[in-house]
Amino acid sequence: MWDDAFPSFLIGLREGLEAGLIVSVLVATLVRSGAKSRLPQVWTGVLAAIALSMSFGAVLTFTAASLSTTAQEAFGGALSIVAVAFVTAMVFWMRRSARSLAGEIKEKVAEALAMGAGVLVLTSFLAVGREGLETALFLWTTARAANESAGPLTGAGIGLVLAAALCWGLYRRVLSINLTRFFTATGAVLIMIAAGVLGYGLRDLQEGGVLPGGTAYAVDLSGSVDAGSWYSTLLQGVLNLTPTMTWLQVAGYVGYLGVVMTLFVRGVRGTAPSPTRTAPATPAPPAKATPPLPTPSPAPTRRRPAWLIPVAVVAVPVVLAGLVVALARPKPAGGETVTVSAKDCGQGFTAPEPGRRTFQMRNTGDQTSEVYLIDPDTNAVYGEIEGLAPGTTRDLVATVAGGTYAWRCVPTDGKAVTSKAVRVGGAAGAGAVVPVSAQDLAGPLRAYKAYVNRGLATLVTETRRLSGDIRAGHLDTARADWLTAHRTYASLGAAYGTFEDFDQKINGRPDGLPGGVHDKDFTGFQRIEYGLWHGRPAGELKGPAHQLADDAAGLRKAFPHQDFDASDLPLRAHEILENTLQFDLTGDTDQGSGTGLATADANLAGTRELLTVLRPLLTARDPHLLPTVDADITRLQTLLDAEHRDGRWTRVDQIGRTAKERIDGATGQLLENLSPVPDLLEIRKSA
C-alpha cells in the first residue's frame, strides 16, 4: 500500500505545509498586532476552504462514477493533465516564494484589517483554498491510477498531519527548517511523479477515444517483467511506469520530464543561496507586542449568532456539491419499472441513454425468475438478477454503451422469454460476459475427469508401495514414498468436492476429533505422516497404511460413477490455491513432515492442469486474463522452486521472512487474478 501512498503523502506534506505556513503567518500577525479577537475570522476562512476542497473531491468521485466506462477514461485522463498543470505551477511558485512568503502575507493581513472582517475571511479562504483544491484533485487522480483509495488517503492523511506538526513547531519556535531546500528537494520528486501522472492521463485519453495511438506500443515488457514483483509494484505505484506503454505515453513522459526538470534545475542554480537557515516562518509573539494595526471604527450593526457564519461556509459548498452529484446521477431508464413474468418480459423497457443505469425490475408473475440484460445477437450478459420472487422489485445496475439490448426472463418452471430488442447509439462498450452452458463445459469436464482417473491409478500404485514399505519396516523409504503419494493426491485438487467420504478418509485432518491425532477416526495420509515423523513403530502404522491403500483403490473404482458437477470446475480454479494459502502455507496441515511447500507445489500443478482444460472458454471471454495468470503462476513456481534444494523442501516455519512474504504475496496476487473465473464461466439459465 505504501507504493500507492507515497505520491499522496508527498503532496499532502507539501500542500499542507504551504497552507499551514500561510495560516501560521496570519495567526502570528494578528497576535502580534493585538488583534486576537479577529482570529475566528481566519479560522472561518480556513474552515470554508476545507469544506470546499472536500466537496470538490466528492463531486469528482461521484460524477465520474456515473459516467460510462469510456467517458470515465476520458474524464480521468483530462483531470490527470489538469492535476499535472496545477502541481507544476505549484512547484515553481513555491520555489520562488518560500523566502518572501511571510512578508507578503503580513501585507495582506494589514490590508484586510483595514477593510473589515469579510476581507480577512476571504484572505484566509483564498490562501488555503488553492492548496486544498490542488490536493483534492491530485489525490483523486492518484487514487484512480492506483485503483484503490486506502493507500492514497492514508498517505495524504499522514502528510497533512506531519505538515501540521511542522507548522506548529515553527510557530512555537521549536523547529527551524530551511524551507527553500525543502521545497526544492520535494519539488524535484514531485516533477518525476507528475511525469508519471501525465503518462497515465494520456493513456486514459487514448482508452477513452479522445487521443489516437492506443495500440501503438513503444514498450511492451509484459512477457519479461513480473508485474507483481516488488520493483514493478514500486515503479507503477510511485512513478506510474508500467511494463506496457504507448508511444504517446513515452513521448509525454520524457518530454515533460526533460523540459520541466531542466527549467526547475536552472531556476534553482540561478537563485542566490541564502547565507543562513531560513528563520521560522511564523515566530511566536515577542514579549512586547507591536502597536496594533489601525482598524476602522465599526458601525453599529445587529449582532449575528457566533455559529452562523462557520455553519454557512461549510453548508454552502456541501449543498452545492450535493446538487451537482444529484444532477449527475443517472436516473432509471425512462423512469419506468421494467416488469417480469413467465409470459412477458421487459414491459416498459425503452432505449436507455449511455452510461451507468439502474433498472427497477418487478416480477408481476407467479413464479420466481432469473433476469438477464443481454445482447440478443450474442447472448452476452450485461447484468443479472438471480431469484427474483413474485411481487418483488429489485434494482439491476449495468453500464450501457452503444449496442443492442434485450431482457431475458427464465422462470423456475417454464421457458425463457426474451423481450423486444432496442438499439443504443454511440461507441461500443465492454463488460458483457458471453454465457456458458453445461454443454460448453462438457468437453473440459471429460478432459479433467480423464486426468483425475490417470492420477488415481498412479495413487493406487504409490499407496500400495507405501504400505509395503511400512510392512517391511523400511521407514526411511516410507517417508519418501509418503511424500510422492501425497503430492499425487494433492494435484487432483479440483476433484475434492466429488470424492465424497473418501476425501476425509484419505486426507482428513485431526481437527475436531475428540482424541486429536490419537483418535481412532484419524486416518489417511496425515495419520501416517504423524506416525512417520514422530518416531512411531512400523507395527503401529501397518493398519493405517493398509487402510489408505484400500481407500485409494476404492476411490478409483467409485470415481467414474460419482457426480462431478460441471459448474465445480470454474469454482475450483480459485478454491484450490485458496485452501493452499489458508492451510498449507500456514503450516496448519503439517503433522511433522514439514512438506507444506511440496503440497503447495502440487496444488499449483493441479490448478495449472485445470486452467489448461478451461483455457479455450476463458480466452474467448477475457483474452487478457490468462496471460496475467500465467505470469503469476510462473512467479509463484519460481519462488517455490527456490525452497526446494538437494531434494528437500524448506519447512514453512523455517522460510526466511522475506521469502515467506513473497510466496504469500504471489499466491494472493494469483488468487486475485483468478477470482473472475467463476463469474466468467458461470452456467446461466437460458430455458
Side-chain angles (χ1 to χ4, degrees):
M1 186 177 70
W2 177 244
D3 304 319
D4 296 330
F6 178 73
S8 296
F9 164 77
L10 190 60
I11 200 72
L13 177 60
R14 272 191 61 109
E15 296 280 14
L17 191 55
E18 287 184 36
L21 288 172
I22 293 171
V23 173
S24 298
V25 172
L26 285 169
V27 172
T29 305
L30 290 174
V31 171
R32 294 180 62 188
S33 60
K36 286 185 178 181
S37 61
R38 310 292 292 274
L39 288 177
Q41 298 165 14
V42 173
W43 297 121
T44 298
V46 171
L47 192 63
I50 294 173
L52 178 65
S53 303
M54 297 182 69
S55 299
F56 178 58
V59 168
L60 291 177
T61 300
F62 290 107
T63 301
S66 68
L67 300 175
S68 66
T69 303
T70 302
Q72 285 185 36
E73 300 292 347
F75 182 71
L79 287 184
S80 294
I81 293 176
V82 172
V84 170
F86 277 151
V87 169
T88 305
M90 175 265 292
V91 166
F92 280 91
W93 177 80
M94 202 59 191
R95 191 203 65 201
R96 292 192 306 268
S97 305
R99 291 199 183 99
S100 59
L101 180 65
E104 294 176 1
I105 296 297
K106 289 175 184 177
E107 292 178 6
K108 292 182 180 179
V109 174
E111 296 173 1
L113 285 171
M115 297 180 68
V119 178
L120 186 56
V121 172
L122 184 62
T123 300
S124 60
F125 171 76
L126 293 177
V128 177
R130 185 186 68 175
E131 275 70 29
L133 292 175
E134 289 177 355
T135 302
L137 178 58
F138 194 85
L139 182 59
W140 181 85
T141 303
T142 52
R144 189 173 183 277
N147 287 319
E148 57 103 8
S149 57
L153 285 175
T154 301
I158 295 173
L160 290 170
V161 170
L162 181 57
L166 292 174
C167 289
W168 180 87
L170 289 171
Y171 179 80
R172 303 300 300 177
R173 303 200 69 174
V174 297
L175 286 177
S176 180
I177 300 175
N178 190 319
L179 295 176
T180 302
R181 290 183 180 177
F182 172 82
F183 286 115
T184 298
T186 56
V189 178
L190 270 180
I191 289 172
M192 297 177 64
I193 292 174
V197 173
L198 176 62
Y200 177 84
L202 292 173
R203 180 58 179 166
D204 272 356
L205 289 175
Q206 289 179 314
E207 292 180 349
V210 177
L211 294 176
T215 58
Y217 295 108
V219 179
D220 188 358
L221 303 177
S222 56
S224 55
V225 173
D226 183 359
S229 63
W230 67 268
Y231 56 85
S232 180
T233 302
L234 182 65
L235 290 175
Q236 292 181 63
V238 176
L239 301 179
N240 271 301
L241 290 175
T242 59
T244 303
M245 298 181 71
T246 65
W247 282 105
L248 183 60
Q249 280 183 279
V250 173
Y253 186 94
V254 174
Y256 172 88
L257 195 60
V259 173
V260 176
M261 188 66 81
T262 300
L263 293 175
F264 184 78
V265 172
R266 284 181 179 176
V268 172
R269 291 177 178 174
T271 303
S274 175
T276 59
R277 294 172 64 84
T278 302
T282 55
K288 290 184 178 181
T290 56
L293 293 173
T295 58
S297 299
T301 57
R302 187 169 56 185
R303 292 179 61 85
R304 302 185 188 92
W307 53 265
L308 181 61
I309 294 180
V311 170
V313 298
V314 173
V316 169
V318 170
V319 170
L320 290 176
L323 289 174
V324 172
V325 171
L327 292 173
R329 274 188 176 277
K331 298 176 178 58
E336 299 178 359
T337 298
V338 181
T339 61
V340 174
S341 71
K343 296 182 179 180
D344 204 351
C345 183
Q347 281 294 316
F349 180 51
T350 57
E353 293 294 324
R356 192 74 168 170
R357 294 288 173 260
T358 300
F359 302 96
Q360 295 178 347
M361 311 304 301
R362 179 167 180 78
N363 189 341
T364 58
D366 57 2
Q367 294 187 47
T368 299
S369 181
E370 311 291 311
V371 184
Y372 305 105
L373 179 62
I374 65 169
D375 180 342
D377 297 329
T378 64
N379 289 323
V381 177
Y382 293 96
E384 63 183 295
I385 293 179
E386 297 182 355
L388 182 62
T392 60
T393 301
R394 288 164 57 187
D395 287 347
L396 186 150
V397 181
T399 299
V400 176
T404 306
Y405 295 83
W407 292 102
R408 177 164 293 160
C409 306
V410 186
T412 303
D413 297 314
K415 295 183 178 180
V417 181
T418 303
S419 72
K420 181 181 178 180
V422 299
R423 179 73 186 175
V424 176
V433 178
V434 178
V436 174
S437 67
Q439 185 61 36
D440 293 327
L441 284 170
L445 182 59
R446 284 194 298 271
Y448 195 80
K449 290 181 74 171
Y451 163 77
V452 173
N453 272 317
R454 293 193 298 271
L456 290 176
T458 302
L459 180 68
V460 170
T461 300
E462 292 171 347
T463 53
R464 286 174 177 169
R465 182 183 303 121
L466 171 62
S467 179
D469 294 336
I470 293 176
R471 190 168 55 252
H474 301 152
L475 297 188
D476 287 338
T477 304
R479 293 185 184 94
D481 287 341
W482 175 91
L483 180 58
T484 300
H486 189 249
R487 280 170 52 82
T488 297
Y489 186 77
S491 68
L492 309 178
Y496 285 176
T498 65
F499 287 167
E500 299 175 354
D501 293 340
F502 283 103
D503 184 47
Q504 179 63 31
K505 296 176 182 178
I506 292 174
N507 202 38
R509 298 194 299 273
D511 304 356
L513 296 177
V517 295
H518 304 293
D519 196 278
K520 62 181 179 60
D521 292 327
F522 181 35
T523 60
F525 277 112
Q526 294 196 31
R527 169 67 182 89
I528 298 171
E529 176 188 6
Y530 179 84
L532 287 174
W533 274 272
H534 283 82
R536 308 311 299 169
E540 182 180 312
L541 298 177
K542 287 181 181 179
H546 179 75
Q547 184 63 47
L548 174 62
D550 285 349
D551 288 336
L555 174 59
R556 182 191 179 191
K557 182 178 180 180
F559 177 71
H561 310 289
Q562 291 177 330
D563 183 23
F564 198 151
D565 193 337
S567 62
D568 284 347
L569 283 180
L571 292 174
R572 297 298 187 272
H574 183 271
E575 290 178 349
I576 297 173
L577 290 176
E578 193 172 49
N579 288 339
T580 301
L581 186 61
Q582 182 179 359
F583 299 115
D584 298 311
L585 292 181
T586 60
D588 185 72
T589 56
D590 185 18
Q591 298 300 324
S593 67
T595 57
L597 291 184
T599 304
D601 181 71
N603 288 334
L604 184 62
T607 301
R608 188 184 292 111
E609 181 66 29
L610 180 58
L611 292 174
T612 297
V613 301
L614 295 175
R615 184 171 294 270
L617 294 176
L618 289 171
T619 301
R621 285 157 180 80
D622 189 346
H624 305 292
L625 176 64
L626 284 180
T628 302
V629 168
D630 290 341
D632 291 341
I633 289 176
T634 300
R635 178 189 177 202
L636 179 56
Q637 187 67 67
T638 301
L639 293 172
L640 292 175
D641 290 344
E643 302 301 325
H644 187 209
R645 308 181 189 93
D646 301 325
R648 298 177 63 85
W649 290 89
T650 306
R651 296 178 60 94
V652 170
D653 57 2
Q654 294 178 356
I655 307 174
R657 178 179 177 181
T658 300
K660 182 65 166 60
E661 289 176 350
R662 288 178 178 174
I663 290 173
D664 289 346
T667 307
Q669 183 65 51
L670 176 54
L671 280 170
E672 182 177 341
N673 290 329
L674 284 172
S675 61
V677 172
D679 288 333
L680 288 172
L681 301 185
E682 179 184 355
I683 298 177
R684 292 175 168 88
K685 294 182 180 179
S686 59

